[in-house]
Amino acid sequence: MSIVVQREDLTSLEQEWRDLLPSCANSRVFLSPLWLRSWWQTFGAGRELMLLSARDEGRLIGVAPMMRERGTLTFAGNTKVCDYMDFTCAAGREAEMMGALFRALSEEPWDDLRLWAMREDSPSLTALAAVSAEFGYSCAVDVEDVCPQVDLPTDWESHLASLDRKHRHELKRKLRKLLQAGTVELEILASPLDVTVGMETFFWMLRESRADKAAFMTTEMESFFRNLVPSLAGGGLAELVFLRLAGIRTAAVVCLHADGETLLYNSGYDPAYSALSVGLLSKVLALQRAIEQGKTRFDFLRGHERYKYELGARDIAVHRVTIRRAP
């Protein structure tokens, strides 16, 4: 059977693409068409979208969400906001899809193919080196960053028991201190409307919590978040979670959900409550909630912050792949 690769329109492909994701080994929330739509609406100006489908006898088996800038092809997105990227492909068919994709790309004008944010366990990453050699292209794979994550047990006490004794003691102390300050609860906003309204408080907390976060949240970036988070919430892929103390919102986290995982996307807190460690504890309580929901993994995404490792995280590497045609 021959796989046919062709260009697609996002609107017409979206439902098929969403239906394909559960059958993929790498069905991350970042690979959702909802994500691509939000990113492209904000950052796509001046770029050429190359949304390629791979079909076997008309049935969609893969999607390559790419873009072209001059002679370079990349994934459609960027590492400022996309922690993982990849090709979407039905599990077990990655090598076939890569071969068909490269046959199609051989007819396109490009000099190099730069694929970033590919997880170390991506089947597509494994297939890329072989298919590049087949077409006579050079292929370099480098570690780009790490994403610390925690494999979750079935109950909170087991997770606490897995932590270093010193870190476990300190965490319990901070939790007791918070509980002594008033009633503690998580406010979960999951509908698009509720998330849209709650984003105002989230933006304020994010900017107030750290200077680098305030610099990151430009007007353009805020527009992206205003589009993205409610859109993902509408697809059941995101929640805005507030830590409330005595009824007052003190910290916020944006949690993404996919593949039995919770992913901590961004956060902020009210500096007036910093003595109670509300920034850290909002993340801790989100992790505890993930365990209670039966999630298998809590992913802190990019960044080497010490607290992630103190909460039991281990690194998953993400790779950058550079493929070049011969001169």
Side-chain angles (χ1 to χ4, degrees):
M1 297 182 185
S2 60
I3 297 174
V4 176
V5 174
Q6 62 187 27
R7 290 216 186 190
E8 298 275 359
D9 171 75
L10 177 56
T11 299
S12 60
L13 183 64
E14 182 168 340
Q15 189 56 57
E16 276 187 287
W17 187 355
R18 293 175 69 173
D19 291 342
L20 175 65
L21 282 170
S23 69
C24 300
N26 54 358
S27 54
R28 312 292 170 188
V29 62
F30 297 100
L31 305 187
S32 165
L34 296 174
W35 191 285
L36 177 59
R37 182 181 298 280
S38 295
W39 189 89
W40 195 259
Q41 288 174 349
T42 306
F43 301 109
R47 298 178 168 98
E48 176 193 353
L49 180 63
M50 287 183 61
L51 183 59
L52 302 176
S53 68
R55 297 179 182 275
D56 185 349
E57 297 186 340
R59 183 173 63 88
L60 186 69
I61 66 161
V63 178
M66 305 178 73
M67 62 186 182
R68 186 191 342 246
E69 292 186 85
R70 299 184 178 88
T72 299
L73 299 180
T74 68
F75 287 128
N78 64 46
T79 53
K80 288 184 178 180
V81 294
C82 305
D83 292 73
Y84 301 127
M85 289 297 293
D86 208 330
F87 303 101
T88 301
C89 186
R93 307 203 65 179
E94 292 85 6
E96 293 176 80
M97 178 184 166
M98 290 300 101
L101 176 64
F102 272 61
R103 283 193 294 274
L105 290 179
S106 68
E107 304 298 322
E108 294 277 352
W110 57 276
D111 300 315
D112 57 346
L113 181 61
R114 299 177 185 176
L115 306 173
W116 37 264
M118 299 189 74
R119 285 174 54 115
E120 64 181 40
D121 55 359
S122 165
S124 300
L125 180 63
T126 303
L128 279 171
V131 76
S132 296
E134 179 183 339
F135 282 82
Y137 304 153
S138 68
C139 179
V141 180
D142 303 292
V143 175
E144 178 183 282
D145 207 340
V146 295
C147 291
Q149 53 186 237
V150 180
D151 290 327
L152 299 178
T154 57
D155 63 89
W156 174 243
E157 290 303 320
S158 295
H159 176 68
L160 285 176
S162 72
L163 303 181
D164 175 87
R165 181 178 179 182
K166 175 184 175 182
H167 298 150
R168 179 172 63 250
H169 174 79
E170 183 64 13
L171 177 57
K172 286 183 174 181
R173 184 189 68 80
K174 289 177 178 177
L175 285 168
R176 282 196 303 270
K177 185 177 179 181
L178 180 68
L179 290 168
Q180 290 166 359
T183 303
V184 176
E185 59 184 339
L186 292 182
E187 177 188 3
I188 312 298
L189 304 183
S191 75
L193 178 58
D194 288 345
V195 169
T196 297
V197 175
M199 291 298 287
E200 296 300 329
T201 304
F202 168 77
F203 287 131
W204 180 83
M205 288 182 171
L206 182 143
R207 289 189 170 104
E208 290 295 313
S209 60
R210 274 179 18 201
D212 61 328
K213 288 195 171 190
F216 166 79
M217 193 53 69
T218 62
T219 301
E220 185 179 43
M221 192 62 70
E222 181 176 325
S223 175
F224 170 66
F225 271 72
R226 287 185 186 278
N227 189 339
L228 175 73
V229 184
S231 176
L232 291 178
L237 299 175
E239 294 174 334
L240 177 56
V241 180
F242 287 104
L243 170 58
R244 295 173 69 100
L245 178 63
I248 299 172
R249 290 173 173 175
T250 63
V253 294
V254 172
C255 290
L256 309 179
H257 301 283
D259 311 320
E261 302 178 355
T262 293
L263 302 89
L264 182 69
Y265 188 55
N266 218 315
S267 62
Y269 64 91
D270 184 343
Y273 294 88
S274 59
L276 294 172
S277 305
V278 293
L280 169 66
L281 294 180
S282 62
K283 302 174 181 68
V284 169
L285 293 176
L287 188 154
Q288 183 179 18
R289 180 168 181 262
I291 293 174
E292 293 168 352
Q293 291 177 310
K295 299 293 182 68
T296 59
R297 185 173 293 114
F298 192 91
D299 194 331
F300 289 104
L301 298 177
R302 294 192 184 211
H304 299 81
E305 292 90 340
R306 186 176 63 184
Y307 80 88
K308 299 178 180 180
Y309 303 101
E310 292 178 352
L311 291 176
R314 61 179 181 86
D315 287 340
I316 292 294
V318 289
H319 293 82
R320 177 177 56 253
V321 182
T322 304
I323 297 171
R324 290 190 172 91
R325 281 175 152 166

